[in-house]
Amino acid sequence: MSPRTPAQNEEIRLASQEKILRAAFELIAQNGYESTSIAMIAKKAGVSKGLLYNYFDKKEDLVRALLEAAMREGDVMLRELMDDDASATLKNIFQWFFREMREQPHHWRLMAELSLKIDNLNIVRKFALGKLNEYVGLMENLLTRLGYENALGEARLIVALFDGIGFEALILKKDYPLDEMEAYLITKYCQEK
Amino acid sequence: MSPRTPAQNEEIRLASQEKILRAAFELIAQNGYESTSIAMIAKKAGVSKGLLYNYFDKKEDLVRALLEAAMREGDVMLRELMDDDASATLKNIFQWFFREMREQPHHWRLMAELSLKIDNLNIVRKFALGKLNEYVGLMENLLTRLGYENALGEARLIVALFDGIGFEALILKKDYPLDEMEAYLITKYCQEK
Amino acid sequence: MSPRTPAQNEEIRLASQEKILRAAFELIAQNGYESTSIAMIAKKAGVSKGLLYNYFDKKEDLVRALLEAAMREGDVMLRELMDDDASATLKNIFQWFFREMREQPHHWRLMAELSLKIDNLNIVRKFALGKLNEYVGLMENLLTRLGYENALGEARLIVALFDGIGFEALILKKDYPLDEMEAYLITKYCQEK
Amino acid sequence: MSPRTPAQNEEIRLASQEKILRAAFELIAQNGYESTSIAMIAKKAGVSKGLLYNYFDKKEDLVRALLEAAMREGDVMLRELMDDDASATLKNIFQWFFREMREQPHHWRLMAELSLKIDNLNIVRKFALGKLNEYVGLMENLLTRLGYENALGEARLIVALFDGIGFEALILKKDYPLDEMEAYLITKYCQEK
DNA sequence: TATGAATGAGCATTCATTCAT
DNA sequence: TATGAATGAATGCTCATTCAT
């Protein structure tokens, strides 16, 4: 009889958003942004198309929310990989990256897909620029502590390497030699001396 | 008035296809696959939509032809960069790559866009796999001659680096430090005493 | 906590309806019927969409209530303009009409908009017919007292004139010569020797 | 085998546009702009929704074309009503107007409907302003020749009268005394000694 | 070989209306 | 009485594709 309390509503809202975001993530990661229709997302989420627009004003907003969530997760991960020892941290990062490539190739697919849409989806650009600089900075710090002369150059190289490997693995899938690359990189960067 | 000879017809066919492919290339490279309509391509090519469907059964087929042509061009380029001196060849390749990134960023955009798009099509995967192996092989040969111990690993690394730099430069555009990267890579790989 | 008395409930009901009608009036007068959503009305009225449907079963019902209220207001106005002197009354009416056109053009917009909208609904037609006859009758009475021969014809003419001026002023807004028209009509109808 | 000639295509195009415009006119005149969907128009015209967009880029463009056609027709009519004798011309105009109101009430409905949309459909405004001034000018000329002192004022009055009668007749339909109004106006304006 | 009129499924988005609470 | 989450049909519009000529 009496209306739902604000707290109850908030809970319901969060649950619905969660369902929608999860469905959107999987579909966009699998098929790309343009090939994923609002109808598909709603269907997979088990809600009506209309409800989706209760939470996200435009299709683009869905992507923004997706990106934000993905980046937040990435940050948490990265922080957990930190170690007092620079070499150990670097190794953790390499291992984490290759594990991700194996277990969650979707994540990378989403990022790549959206990145290409930058010209059309303006939100994406800001995210990408900030994140890239953040990763390069972090890597530079590690390499400096490891005694690299041109730590910035090598940091940029490694970050680009991640992107390149991600891209190639995305396309070649099982044909890409993830194991060999991982071993080679760890040997090269973490076994100094 | 008089019927065309088979030879003339063939010539016409090739010319039409050429026009269509060039138009498609420019439009897709600039705006992406989904944002480029068949109508736009036909208009830019100066042919009718109907004619376009005479040569390519589906929009996807056009894309496949585009990819093949682009990769063929890449081969021709690569062969021209060869030099008896391994170090000089490597430098040529680096310089060519960075020049391309500066002058024809669209090319890379097209390759990335299309690769993601038809990543399900096995033809593309096999194509990409072959190309990647070819590039890695070539690079491995160069690095072996330059005395690298694990030439294969380093070759894979460099090829992935190309992809990664291409990807990042595509996103960051003017914000990406192409010059610094080029200098750093040449110093690192081509100045070995 | 304690249950509301029936009288209190009735009071609350009336207050809510009043809020809703006022909000609907302003929004529809400004933006038109189709461009005004139930959500907008509920928001402006400070009530929930659900409550709105407690009082009005359909959007159309809201409109009907609006029309009735507007016409009731018109009646009250008209009565206040009456004067023992027919010429003075006529002048009052002209002046009131032009003042309304200047200060509340939205009112007219609403009436015109809604009249066209539900022109199929017989209720509205009967309503409008009654009103028109009432106005014509009143005007005929005035003109008879002023000595017009065909008072009925001239009364119909003047009432149609009001509608026509209202319509044109609605469209031309600042471009419509309200002042000249007012002066001309008063001179023509109220300065008779 | 050989493609259609440009002339053939033009003919086909004109026929299709004609069908679409006719359907749009009838539906919009009957139900109003917002209540007439593109789908309804296409269905009534017997063409696909897609084809409609081959000829009109937006729904608004359809209205523009409709207005233009209606106004062109109106102009032709008016010119035919002209007579060397001002009084005869005026009578012709009155008679034509009332005949139209009886036989083609849709025309008026369309104009009224669209006029109210002026704020949203910008095209309409220009048309309305120009046309109104044109009609007032024409009427002023006639009345001047008939010896009216304030011909401009009376011209404005008559034009507004047309609009007012049109509006009221639109709503009251058969209940509006078109015959009496016609007789009264002709007596009043055209029987001057 | 070549044209472009025509199709229709599909898309993002809106909104009146319902209903569990 | 009151809420707002949820629905789903409808809308304007796009576009790959077909086909008569």
Side-chain angles (χ1 to χ4, degrees), chain D residues 41-53:
Chain D
I41 297 174
K43 188 169 187 178
K44 174 147 196 162
V47 303
S48 66
K49 270 183 297 173
L51 186 62
L52 202 149
Y53 280 91

Side-chain angles (χ1 to χ4, degrees), chain A residues 34 109 115-116 118-119 125 132 150 154 156-157 160-161 163-164 168 170-173 180 184 188, chain B residues 34 115-116 119 125 132 150 153-154 156-157 159-161 163-164 168 170-173 177 184 188:
Chain A
E34 331 256 8
R109 168 82 213 243
S115 298
L116 287 178
I118 273 192
D119 291 329
R125 186 186 196 90
L132 202 74
N150 189 337
E154 196 67 22
R156 280 188 190 132
L157 187 154
L161 208 44
D163 277 326
E168 293 176 356
L170 192 62
I171 293 170
L172 300 191
K173 294 188 170 28
E180 286 91 326
Y184 180 63
K188 177 166 179 174
Chain B
E34 328 263 5
S115 297
L116 283 181
D119 118 75
R125 180 141 77 251
L132 202 74
N150 189 337
E154 197 67 21
R156 281 187 189 132
L157 187 154
V159 170
L161 208 44
D163 277 327
E168 293 176 358
L170 191 63
I171 293 171
L172 300 192
K173 294 188 171 31
Y184 182 64
K188 178 166 178 173

